Amino acid sequence: MSPTGSALSSHFIKEIILEDLKTQKYQGRVHTRFPPEPNGYLHIGHAKSICLNFGLAAEFQGLCNLRFDDTNPAKEEVEYVESIQEDVKWLGFDWGDRLFYASDYFEQIYDCALQLIQKRRAYVCDLTAEEIRAYRGTLTEPGRDSPYRNRPLEDNLKLLERMRAGEFEDGSRTLRAKIDMTSPNLNMRDPVMYRILHADHHRTGDRWCIYPMYDFTHGLCDSIEGITHSICTLEFEDHRPLYDWFLDEAGVFHPQQIEFARLNLTYTVMSKRKLLRLVQDGQVSSWDDPRMPTISGLRRRGYTPESIRNFCDRIGVSKSNSVVDIALLEHCLRDDLNKRAQRVMAVLHPLRVVIDNYPEDQLEEMEAVNNPEDPGMGTRKVPFSKVLYIERDDFREDPPKKFFRLAPGREVRLRYGYFITCVGVVKDDQTGEIIELHCTYDPRTRGGDSPDGHKVKATLHWVSAARAIDAEVRIYEHLFLKSDPEDVEEGDFTKTLNPDSLTTITSCKLEPGLAEAKPGMLFQFERQGYFCLDPVDSIKGKLIFNRTVALKDSWAKIEKEDKK
Ligand code: ATP
Ligand code: MG
């Protein structure tokens, strides 16, 4: 069982861990880590990695560290460090007292570099980045040795010290591992271990002007923290020999790197670099725009941690890349919200209805069920009065064949209210637009029940005009028009942005109880979908609801068809 109570599915990484436990490879320890680079906000892909790393630790009574991989001061910021911690916590995971930074180990990493120079396994190289690239060769051609490859040991030590002391310009020198310029694996062709970068670091300030590269840093951090299983995405498979080489040459504790397929989702871009671009170009309001696949965007949209964890469990963990249908994520969300969201009535596009035979000053409190899935959630009172709002779409003056909702002369049920019959239509003299309906009600149908068993074909939601509260509602569609946003003939992924991904409806009418809603609270607006009170833009006196997800479940349909 997982910490969250769901029985998690098995996968190849669990098999590896079970085997390691059997053979006592790490004395029965399981210690993982989640290692984000603080160069952006976390996204749903990171959630997969978080659930996997923290989930495995919990399942095997092990530990999971949160470690910031902060070796690139040019792109990293404290804002990101903070948001990442908030997101991991919100997802329901706890790193205890094990919050680390790669920058905590800069001194140890530097010592290791000196040691590799001593062992003649590293050298200072004066080639420029471009020259290094040219010397590296290609997949079909071997590389050539750098002219600095056989520098005397003493010179290397001195030069590295001078690099650290700030004597050289950015890019003028590097420290490189001395491995094999003819290796078929390009990562093994004397990779760079340190580069010169005169930039302030968000934690170490100006203490360093050389920064260790990812491949050199990562394994050492894992080793220092006693990580047993260092889980990363498939692109790092070709880096594993290098991960192993550094640890073996350094002669330190050797965790094992295991790769799994990253999450890709339809209608979504996932890389932080691309998400940053959307923010910077103003295509979205911020990192937590409810259309963003970021954890903070999903949270603001109304996603629950449970639904995301459930999704991560359902997609599984494998070795082959694939693209997951975003409908599955939405399905997991509906599944969760169906159980927890209170039902309420909200009219998004109001049409006034006057009940001609209803007493002018009367106001009745009708009893409404809060959640038919959970009787424990009780009931509430909803006011009914002479003037109501219904949804504009629920009336047709000239109804087509299969339209069973309100039309002239037709009777429908108002949920928890009464049966009403349309007896008149008022139009704007100038535009011809319908501005009001006149109806009569049947007093014998209080609560929406028919006394004599006669049936109506439609049940509508409504709110009392006298007591309605106003709200703005934001309807979201996919941020991209194409299921693969990268699939563009010209330009880049921004070409496939959906111009209608946000629709704002300003004059919605809600049942009065919603005035008490707290930011982030979730509701089902009957017949419309799930909605969440926006925690950022809602202010006192102005309610703004995000549509979290519509009711229609396209995934359930896919599953049903698969079973046929
Ligand atoms: P991005 O390209 O989106 O910036 P990244 O891999 O550079 O992603 P990191 O901050 O380095 O981002 O990632 C932290 C951890 O999350 C890594 O272990 C990485 O493998 C994992 N991760 C990142 N993206 C995904 C994804 N789409 N699916 C699963 N795991 C992911
Ligand atoms: Mg990265």
Side-chain angles (χ1 to χ4, degrees):
M1 292 287 268
S2 78
T4 53
S6 68
L8 297 175
S9 37
S10 191
H11 51 71
F12 78 97
I13 302 183
K14 277 190 200 175
E15 301 297 321
I16 294 175
I17 293 180
L18 283 169
E19 185 60 27
D20 291 347
L21 289 174
K22 220 191 285 165
T23 61
Q24 286 287 309
K25 186 165 175 188
Y26 301 104
Q27 294 79 47
R29 284 194 313 119
V30 175
H31 200 152
T32 56
R33 84 285 171 267
F34 172 64
E37 181 182 357
N39 61 348
Y41 281 61
L42 297 182
H43 51 62
I44 181 78
H46 293 113
K48 176 175 180 180
S49 175
I50 293 167
C51 291
L52 178 59
N53 280 294
F54 281 94
L56 286 170
E59 194 172 347
F60 294 102
Q61 288 86 48
L63 298 169
C64 180
N65 298 356
L66 175 61
R67 182 202 314 142
F68 287 103
D69 165 29
D70 56 348
T71 54
N72 185 5
K75 294 198 173 148
E76 296 160 7
E77 287 176 27
V78 175
E79 178 192 345
Y80 301 142
V81 169
E82 287 169 355
S83 73
I84 288 170
Q85 293 181 55
E86 187 185 346
D87 290 349
V88 175
K89 271 191 220 150
W90 178 78
L91 277 174
F93 299 105
D94 184 4
W95 54 86
D97 57 358
R98 294 174 315 283
L99 171 62
F100 301 117
Y101 296 81
S103 56
D104 293 343
Y105 313 124
F106 278 174
E107 206 62 60
Q108 277 157 282
I109 294 167
Y110 183 80
D111 286 345
C112 181
L114 291 176
Q115 193 192 321
L116 291 188
I117 294 177
Q118 298 277 7
K119 283 185 76 178
R120 296 172 210 281
R121 290 285 189 266
Y123 61 98
V124 172
C125 181
D126 301 358
L127 295 181
T128 62
E130 230 166 275
E131 288 165 336
I132 289 181
R133 215 169 300 130
Y135 273 77
R136 185 180 296 135
T138 61
L139 283 174
T140 49
E141 275 171 58
R144 283 176 292 138
D145 284 0
S146 158
Y148 305 98
R149 200 168 198 261
N150 294 314
R151 236 177 193 146
L153 187 151
E154 284 308 319
D155 291 5
N156 282 320
L157 289 174
K158 255 188 230 132
L159 280 169
L160 182 62
E161 251 165 57
R162 292 177 61 196
M163 280 167 65
R164 178 179 181 172
E167 290 187 31
F168 307 119
E169 270 174 43
D170 287 3
S172 61
R173 284 189 167 83
T174 54
L175 180 73
R176 296 176 67 181
K178 195 171 181 177
I179 309 181
D180 178 6
M181 288 306 291
T182 63
S183 170
N185 182 341
L186 270 71
N187 295 307
M188 301 298 275
R189 295 185 186 172
D190 291 12
V192 172
M193 295 164 60
Y194 265 98
R195 58 180 176 147
I196 303 174
L197 188 67
H198 293 265
D200 263 15
H201 186 279
H202 65 102
R203 284 177 66 83
T204 59
D206 62 0
R207 231 175 302 151
W208 292 89
C209 60
I210 55 172
Y211 290 94
M213 304 301 287
Y214 175 86
D215 284 320
F216 179 46
T217 310
H218 202 81
L220 286 178
C221 295
D222 285 343
S223 176
I224 293 167
E225 292 177 12
I227 300 302
T228 55
H229 302 83
S230 176
I231 300 167
C232 61
T233 42
L234 277 186
E235 324 81 87
F236 290 97
E237 196 161 21
D238 288 345
H239 294 241
R240 188 174 355 118
L242 185 54
Y243 181 95
D244 292 337
W245 189 90
F246 278 128
L247 293 176
D248 289 341
E249 291 299 333
V252 292
F253 171 72
H254 195 144
Q256 65 177 314
Q257 175 179 308
I258 304 169
E259 309 85 17
F260 73 102
R262 68 196 309 59
L263 167 67
N264 300 298
L265 263 189
T266 55
Y267 299 99
T268 310
V269 296
M270 211 89 92
S271 110
K272 283 179 280 185
R273 190 173 49 79
K274 291 183 184 135
L275 297 176
L276 174 64
R277 171 134 175 244
L278 294 176
V279 175
Q280 283 176 336
D281 292 358
Q283 304 283 8
V284 293
S285 63
S286 51
W287 281 99
D288 68 353
D289 186 299
R291 291 166 293 178
M292 290 281 269
T294 50
I295 309 280
S296 52
L298 295 170
R299 172 166 66 234
R300 185 169 164 195
R301 173 90 169 247
Y303 273 78
T304 58
E306 290 82 358
S307 62
I308 295 176
R309 290 198 303 255
N310 183 241
F311 169 74
C312 290
D313 185 41
R314 285 193 56 169
I315 55 177
V317 178
S318 87
K319 267 271 185 202
S320 51
N321 278 315
S322 65
V323 184
V324 174
D325 192 330
I326 196 166
L328 176 60
L329 178 62
E330 294 173 348
H331 173 78
C332 293
L333 176 63
R334 279 189 202 94
D335 212 36
D336 189 38
L337 297 187
N338 182 40
K339 286 174 255 154
R340 70 169 73 226
Q342 183 187 323
R343 275 55 170 169
V344 292
M345 293 198 283
V347 175
L348 304 192
H349 299 281
L351 174 61
R352 253 172 81 90
V353 173
V354 180
I355 316 254
D356 292 339
N357 59 341
Y358 195 85
E360 193 73 44
D361 301 322
Q362 185 166 307
L363 194 120
E364 287 179 85
E365 298 279 359
M366 312 305 265
E367 183 156 39
V369 174
N370 285 337
N371 188 344
E373 300 288 319
D374 179 3
M377 285 175 71
T379 60
R380 67 188 186 285
K381 297 281 193 239
V382 184
F384 188 94
S385 56
K386 186 177 178 76
V387 184
L388 309 167
Y389 294 112
I390 64 164
E391 210 65 59
R392 227 157 232 290
D393 272 1
D394 281 339
F395 177 79
R396 290 286 188 89
E397 194 172 18
D398 195 8
K401 237 188 174 166
K402 288 200 171 155
F403 185 91
F404 298 116
R405 291 166 273 164
L406 199 59
R410 190 179 286 169
E411 186 176 44
V412 297
R413 172 191 291 110
L414 294 182
R415 188 152 162 92
Y416 307 123
Y418 288 99
F419 284 17
I420 58 166
T421 305
C422 177
V423 294
V425 180
V426 181
K427 292 182 185 173
D428 184 297
D429 286 345
Q430 311 276 306
T431 63
E433 190 200 358
I434 298 172
I435 47 177
E436 189 174 281
L437 301 181
H438 283 263
C439 294
T440 55
Y441 84 115
D442 180 346
R444 299 169 305 158
T445 57
R446 192 175 195 279
D449 299 321
S450 161
D452 51 10
H454 90 274
K455 289 203 166 67
V456 286
K457 283 201 171 134
T459 300
L460 311 185
H461 64 276
W462 51 275
V463 292
S464 149
R467 301 283 300 279
I469 55 168
D470 294 310
E472 177 179 314
V473 165
R474 297 173 180 172
I475 306 285
Y476 302 101
E477 302 293 343
H478 296 321
L479 192 48
F480 295 95
L481 291 168
K482 283 194 146 186
S483 75
D484 176 6
E486 316 277 349
D487 178 22
V488 276
E489 279 180 8
E490 262 171 60
D492 59 23
F493 70 101
T494 55
K495 283 264 177 304
T496 62
L497 273 163
N498 177 4
D500 301 319
S501 58
L502 166 62
T503 307
T504 303
I505 314 173
T506 49
S507 50
C508 306
K509 302 286 184 185
L510 316 182
E511 63 171 77
L514 283 165
E516 309 303 321
K518 301 273 176 301
M521 264 170 90
L522 284 153
F523 299 91
Q524 186 193 96
F525 289 2
E526 295 218 19
R527 301 173 63 223
Q528 315 264 17
Y530 294 97
F531 292 77
C532 162
L533 186 61
D534 189 276
V536 178
D537 290 344
S538 291
I539 40 169
K540 212 171 161 47
K542 184 172 187 199
L543 297 176
I544 298 175
F545 280 90
N546 295 316
R547 184 172 76 182
T548 307
V549 68
L551 287 179
K552 198 171 142 227
D553 190 340
S554 54
W555 183 261
K557 206 173 140 210
I558 294 167
E559 269 188 336
K560 215 163 148 191
E561 271 162 20
D562 280 352
K563 277 186 197 140
K564 272 188 199 161

PDB file of all heavy atoms in Angstrom, residues 198-217:
ATOM      1  N   HIS A 198      31.409  33.492 -14.480  1.00  0.00           N
ATOM      2  CA  HIS A 198      31.388  34.545 -13.456  1.00  0.00           C
ATOM      3  C   HIS A 198      29.945  34.997 -13.265  1.00  0.00           C
ATOM      4  O   HIS A 198      29.488  35.932 -13.897  1.00  0.00           O
ATOM      5  CB  HIS A 198      32.284  35.707 -13.863  1.00  0.00           C
ATOM      6  CG  HIS A 198      33.744  35.343 -13.887  1.00  0.00           C
ATOM      7  ND1 HIS A 198      34.587  35.575 -12.821  1.00  0.00           N
ATOM      8  CD2 HIS A 198      34.496  34.717 -14.823  1.00  0.00           C
ATOM      9  CE1 HIS A 198      35.807  35.139 -13.107  1.00  0.00           C
ATOM     10  NE2 HIS A 198      35.775  34.613 -14.327  1.00  0.00           N
ATOM     11  N   ALA A 199      29.224  34.256 -12.437  1.00  0.00           N
ATOM     12  CA  ALA A 199      27.808  34.590 -12.217  1.00  0.00           C
ATOM     13  C   ALA A 199      27.477  34.350 -10.758  1.00  0.00           C
ATOM     14  O   ALA A 199      27.982  33.405 -10.148  1.00  0.00           O
ATOM     15  CB  ALA A 199      26.925  33.722 -13.105  1.00  0.00           C
ATOM     16  N   ASP A 200      26.618  35.206 -10.207  1.00  0.00           N
ATOM     17  CA  ASP A 200      26.207  35.029  -8.819  1.00  0.00           C
ATOM     18  C   ASP A 200      25.248  33.852  -8.705  1.00  0.00           C
ATOM     19  O   ASP A 200      24.328  33.714  -9.501  1.00  0.00           O
ATOM     20  CB  ASP A 200      25.499  36.302  -8.321  1.00  0.00           C
ATOM     21  CG  ASP A 200      26.477  37.190  -7.570  1.00  0.00           C
ATOM     22  OD1 ASP A 200      27.701  36.949  -7.695  1.00  0.00           O
ATOM     23  OD2 ASP A 200      26.011  38.111  -6.867  1.00  0.00           O
ATOM     24  N   HIS A 201      25.491  33.059  -7.693  1.00  0.00           N
ATOM     25  CA  HIS A 201      24.654  31.887  -7.451  1.00  0.00           C
ATOM     26  C   HIS A 201      23.668  32.219  -6.332  1.00  0.00           C
ATOM     27  O   HIS A 201      24.020  32.911  -5.381  1.00  0.00           O
ATOM     28  CB  HIS A 201      25.560  30.721  -7.053  1.00  0.00           C
ATOM     29  CG  HIS A 201      24.845  29.417  -6.907  1.00  0.00           C
ATOM     30  ND1 HIS A 201      24.142  29.080  -5.781  1.00  0.00           N
ATOM     31  CD2 HIS A 201      24.737  28.367  -7.761  1.00  0.00           C
ATOM     32  CE1 HIS A 201      23.620  27.862  -5.950  1.00  0.00           C
ATOM     33  NE2 HIS A 201      23.968  27.420  -7.138  1.00  0.00           N
ATOM     34  N   HIS A 202      22.426  31.699  -6.446  1.00  0.00           N
ATOM     35  CA  HIS A 202      21.405  32.083  -5.454  1.00  0.00           C
ATOM     36  C   HIS A 202      21.720  31.602  -4.046  1.00  0.00           C
ATOM     37  O   HIS A 202      21.109  32.073  -3.083  1.00  0.00           O
ATOM     38  CB  HIS A 202      20.011  31.587  -5.892  1.00  0.00           C
ATOM     39  CG  HIS A 202      19.881  30.091  -5.928  1.00  0.00           C
ATOM     40  ND1 HIS A 202      19.248  29.387  -4.949  1.00  0.00           N
ATOM     41  CD2 HIS A 202      20.330  29.188  -6.827  1.00  0.00           C
ATOM     42  CE1 HIS A 202      19.303  28.090  -5.250  1.00  0.00           C
ATOM     43  NE2 HIS A 202      19.957  27.956  -6.386  1.00  0.00           N
ATOM     44  N   ARG A 203      22.669  30.682  -3.898  1.00  0.00           N
ATOM     45  CA  ARG A 203      23.057  30.267  -2.550  1.00  0.00           C
ATOM     46  C   ARG A 203      24.507  30.572  -2.224  1.00  0.00           C
ATOM     47  O   ARG A 203      24.820  30.933  -1.092  1.00  0.00           O
ATOM     48  CB  ARG A 203      22.820  28.763  -2.367  1.00  0.00           C
ATOM     49  CG  ARG A 203      21.353  28.433  -2.168  1.00  0.00           C
ATOM     50  CD  ARG A 203      21.137  26.957  -2.073  1.00  0.00           C
ATOM     51  NE  ARG A 203      21.736  26.358  -0.883  1.00  0.00           N
ATOM     52  CZ  ARG A 203      21.170  26.343   0.322  1.00  0.00           C
ATOM     53  NH1 ARG A 203      20.002  26.911   0.501  1.00  0.00           N
ATOM     54  NH2 ARG A 203      21.778  25.765   1.327  1.00  0.00           N
ATOM     55  N   THR A 204      25.396  30.388  -3.186  1.00  0.00           N
ATOM     56  CA  THR A 204      26.818  30.559  -2.867  1.00  0.00           C
ATOM     57  C   THR A 204      27.326  31.950  -3.252  1.00  0.00           C
ATOM     58  O   THR A 204      28.516  32.234  -3.103  1.00  0.00           O
ATOM     59  CB  THR A 204      27.667  29.472  -3.566  1.00  0.00           C
ATOM     60  OG1 THR A 204      27.449  29.578  -4.974  1.00  0.00           O
ATOM     61  CG2 THR A 204      27.281  28.091  -3.098  1.00  0.00           C
ATOM     62  N   GLY A 205      26.422  32.799  -3.730  1.00  0.00           N
ATOM     63  CA  GLY A 205      26.806  34.176  -4.056  1.00  0.00           C
ATOM     64  C   GLY A 205      27.937  34.204  -5.067  1.00  0.00           C
ATOM     65  O   GLY A 205      27.882  33.542  -6.098  1.00  0.00           O
ATOM     66  N   ASP A 206      29.020  34.973  -4.737  1.00  0.00           N
ATOM     67  CA  ASP A 206      30.133  35.065  -5.688  1.00  0.00           C
ATOM     68  C   ASP A 206      31.323  34.213  -5.236  1.00  0.00           C
ATOM     69  O   ASP A 206      32.452  34.420  -5.657  1.00  0.00           O
ATOM     70  CB  ASP A 206      30.545  36.527  -5.881  1.00  0.00           C
ATOM     71  CG  ASP A 206      31.037  37.148  -4.577  1.00  0.00           C
ATOM     72  OD1 ASP A 206      31.058  36.441  -3.530  1.00  0.00           O
ATOM     73  OD2 ASP A 206      31.396  38.345  -4.579  1.00  0.00           O
ATOM     74  N   ARG A 207      31.046  33.233  -4.362  1.00  0.00           N
ATOM     75  CA  ARG A 207      32.125  32.401  -3.853  1.00  0.00           C
ATOM     76  C   ARG A 207      32.784  31.570  -4.959  1.00  0.00           C
ATOM     77  O   ARG A 207      33.943  31.227  -4.892  1.00  0.00           O
ATOM     78  CB  ARG A 207      31.594  31.462  -2.759  1.00  0.00           C
ATOM     79  CG  ARG A 207      32.430  31.517  -1.489  1.00  0.00           C
ATOM     80  CD  ARG A 207      31.811  30.675  -0.373  1.00  0.00           C
ATOM     81  NE  ARG A 207      30.450  31.100  -0.057  1.00  0.00           N
ATOM     82  CZ  ARG A 207      29.507  30.275   0.428  1.00  0.00           C
ATOM     83  NH1 ARG A 207      29.773  29.000   0.637  1.00  0.00           N
ATOM     84  NH2 ARG A 207      28.316  30.735   0.707  1.00  0.00           N
ATOM     85  N   TRP A 208      31.995  31.220  -5.966  1.00  0.00           N
ATOM     86  CA  TRP A 208      32.541  30.380  -7.038  1.00  0.00           C
ATOM     87  C   TRP A 208      32.405  31.083  -8.385  1.00  0.00           C
ATOM     88  O   TRP A 208      31.419  31.780  -8.632  1.00  0.00           O
ATOM     89  CB  TRP A 208      31.781  29.054  -7.116  1.00  0.00           C
ATOM     90  CG  TRP A 208      32.015  28.178  -5.920  1.00  0.00           C
ATOM     91  CD1 TRP A 208      31.311  28.174  -4.761  1.00  0.00           C
ATOM     92  CD2 TRP A 208      33.037  27.195  -5.770  1.00  0.00           C
ATOM     93  NE1 TRP A 208      31.807  27.240  -3.882  1.00  0.00           N
ATOM     94  CE2 TRP A 208      32.886  26.619  -4.482  1.00  0.00           C
ATOM     95  CE3 TRP A 208      34.078  26.736  -6.591  1.00  0.00           C
ATOM     96  CZ2 TRP A 208      33.720  25.609  -3.999  1.00  0.00           C
ATOM     97  CZ3 TRP A 208      34.897  25.722  -6.118  1.00  0.00           C
ATOM     98  CH2 TRP A 208      34.720  25.178  -4.820  1.00  0.00           C
ATOM     99  N   CYS A 209      33.414  30.886  -9.238  1.00  0.00           N
ATOM    100  CA  CYS A 209      33.258  31.337 -10.616  1.00  0.00           C
ATOM    101  C   CYS A 209      33.527  30.182 -11.567  1.00  0.00           C
ATOM    102  O   CYS A 209      33.639  30.355 -12.775  1.00  0.00           O
ATOM    103  CB  CYS A 209      34.150  32.529 -10.913  1.00  0.00           C
ATOM    104  SG  CYS A 209      35.873  32.145 -10.675  1.00  0.00           S
ATOM    105  N   ILE A 210      33.676  28.981 -10.986  1.00  0.00           N
ATOM    106  CA  ILE A 210      33.673  27.774 -11.825  1.00  0.00           C
ATOM    107  C   ILE A 210      32.542  26.899 -11.297  1.00  0.00           C
ATOM    108  O   ILE A 210      32.301  26.836 -10.081  1.00  0.00           O
ATOM    109  CB  ILE A 210      35.013  27.001 -11.780  1.00  0.00           C
ATOM    110  CG1 ILE A 210      35.396  26.655 -10.331  1.00  0.00           C
ATOM    111  CG2 ILE A 210      36.134  27.818 -12.430  1.00  0.00           C
ATOM    112  CD1 ILE A 210      36.595  25.725 -10.246  1.00  0.00           C
ATOM    113  N   TYR A 211      31.837  26.271 -12.209  1.00  0.00           N
ATOM    114  CA  TYR A 211      30.706  25.436 -11.807  1.00  0.00           C
ATOM    115  C   TYR A 211      30.823  24.048 -12.432  1.00  0.00           C
ATOM    116  O   TYR A 211      31.159  23.922 -13.618  1.00  0.00           O
ATOM    117  CB  TYR A 211      29.385  26.097 -12.215  1.00  0.00           C
ATOM    118  CG  TYR A 211      29.106  27.330 -11.381  1.00  0.00           C
ATOM    119  CD1 TYR A 211      29.484  28.605 -11.827  1.00  0.00           C
ATOM    120  CD2 TYR A 211      28.507  27.226 -10.124  1.00  0.00           C
ATOM    121  CE1 TYR A 211      29.253  29.734 -11.044  1.00  0.00           C
ATOM    122  CE2 TYR A 211      28.272  28.349  -9.337  1.00  0.00           C
ATOM    123  CZ  TYR A 211      28.648  29.600  -9.801  1.00  0.00           C
ATOM    124  OH  TYR A 211      28.422  30.708  -9.023  1.00  0.00           O
ATOM    125  N   PRO A 212      30.568  23.005 -11.619  1.00  0.00           N
ATOM    126  CA  PRO A 212      30.678  21.630 -12.124  1.00  0.00           C
ATOM    127  C   PRO A 212      29.511  21.296 -13.053  1.00  0.00           C
ATOM    128  O   PRO A 212      28.401  21.776 -12.851  1.00  0.00           O
ATOM    129  CB  PRO A 212      30.616  20.782 -10.851  1.00  0.00           C
ATOM    130  CG  PRO A 212      29.842  21.597  -9.867  1.00  0.00           C
ATOM    131  CD  PRO A 212      30.122  23.039 -10.197  1.00  0.00           C
ATOM    132  N   MET A 213      29.764  20.471 -14.057  1.00  0.00           N
ATOM    133  CA  MET A 213      28.731  20.085 -15.007  1.00  0.00           C
ATOM    134  C   MET A 213      27.846  18.991 -14.414  1.00  0.00           C
ATOM    135  O   MET A 213      28.255  18.254 -13.509  1.00  0.00           O
ATOM    136  CB  MET A 213      29.366  19.576 -16.308  1.00  0.00           C
ATOM    137  CG  MET A 213      30.313  20.558 -16.972  1.00  0.00           C
ATOM    138  SD  MET A 213      29.522  22.122 -17.382  1.00  0.00           S
ATOM    139  CE  MET A 213      28.507  21.609 -18.766  1.00  0.00           C
ATOM    140  N   TYR A 214      26.662  18.867 -14.995  1.00  0.00           N
ATOM    141  CA  TYR A 214      25.664  17.937 -14.481  1.00  0.00           C
ATOM    142  C   TYR A 214      26.200  16.510 -14.306  1.00  0.00           C
ATOM    143  O   TYR A 214      26.060  15.910 -13.234  1.00  0.00           O
ATOM    144  CB  TYR A 214      24.449  17.915 -15.421  1.00  0.00           C
ATOM    145  CG  TYR A 214      23.426  16.889 -15.029  1.00  0.00           C
ATOM    146  CD1 TYR A 214      22.450  17.203 -14.078  1.00  0.00           C
ATOM    147  CD2 TYR A 214      23.462  15.600 -15.549  1.00  0.00           C
ATOM    148  CE1 TYR A 214      21.523  16.255 -13.690  1.00  0.00           C
ATOM    149  CE2 TYR A 214      22.540  14.647 -15.159  1.00  0.00           C
ATOM    150  CZ  TYR A 214      21.572  14.974 -14.228  1.00  0.00           C
ATOM    151  OH  TYR A 214      20.673  14.036 -13.833  1.00  0.00           O
ATOM    152  N   ASP A 215      26.813  15.953 -15.356  1.00  0.00           N
ATOM    153  CA  ASP A 215      27.221  14.540 -15.293  1.00  0.00           C
ATOM    154  C   ASP A 215      28.248  14.278 -14.200  1.00  0.00           C
ATOM    155  O   ASP A 215      28.232  13.224 -13.569  1.00  0.00           O
ATOM    156  CB  ASP A 215      27.804  14.092 -16.642  1.00  0.00           C
ATOM    157  CG  ASP A 215      26.717  13.851 -17.675  1.00  0.00           C
ATOM    158  OD1 ASP A 215      25.666  13.283 -17.305  1.00  0.00           O
ATOM    159  OD2 ASP A 215      26.913  14.240 -18.843  1.00  0.00           O
ATOM    160  N   PHE A 216      29.131  15.228 -13.992  1.00  0.00           N
ATOM    161  CA  PHE A 216      30.141  15.081 -12.951  1.00  0.00           C
ATOM    162  C   PHE A 216      29.492  15.237 -11.575  1.00  0.00           C
ATOM    163  O   PHE A 216      29.792  14.499 -10.630  1.00  0.00           O
ATOM    164  CB  PHE A 216      31.242  16.127 -13.166  1.00  0.00           C
ATOM    165  CG  PHE A 216      32.342  16.096 -12.140  1.00  0.00           C
ATOM    166  CD1 PHE A 216      32.923  14.888 -11.745  1.00  0.00           C
ATOM    167  CD2 PHE A 216      32.812  17.281 -11.577  1.00  0.00           C
ATOM    168  CE1 PHE A 216      33.950  14.868 -10.802  1.00  0.00           C
ATOM    169  CE2 PHE A 216      33.834  17.260 -10.633  1.00  0.00           C
ATOM    170  CZ  PHE A 216      34.401  16.058 -10.244  1.00  0.00           C
ATOM    171  N   THR A 217      28.581  16.175 -11.467  1.00  0.00           N
ATOM    172  CA  THR A 217      27.967  16.517 -10.188  1.00  0.00           C
ATOM    173  C   THR A 217      26.994  15.460  -9.686  1.00  0.00           C
ATOM    174  O   THR A 217      26.989  15.101  -8.507  1.00  0.00           O
ATOM    175  CB  THR A 217      27.164  17.833 -10.343  1.00  0.00           C
ATOM    176  OG1 THR A 217      27.994  18.801 -10.964  1.00  0.00           O
ATOM    177  CG2 THR A 217      26.679  18.346  -9.005  1.00  0.00           C
TER     178      THR A 217
END
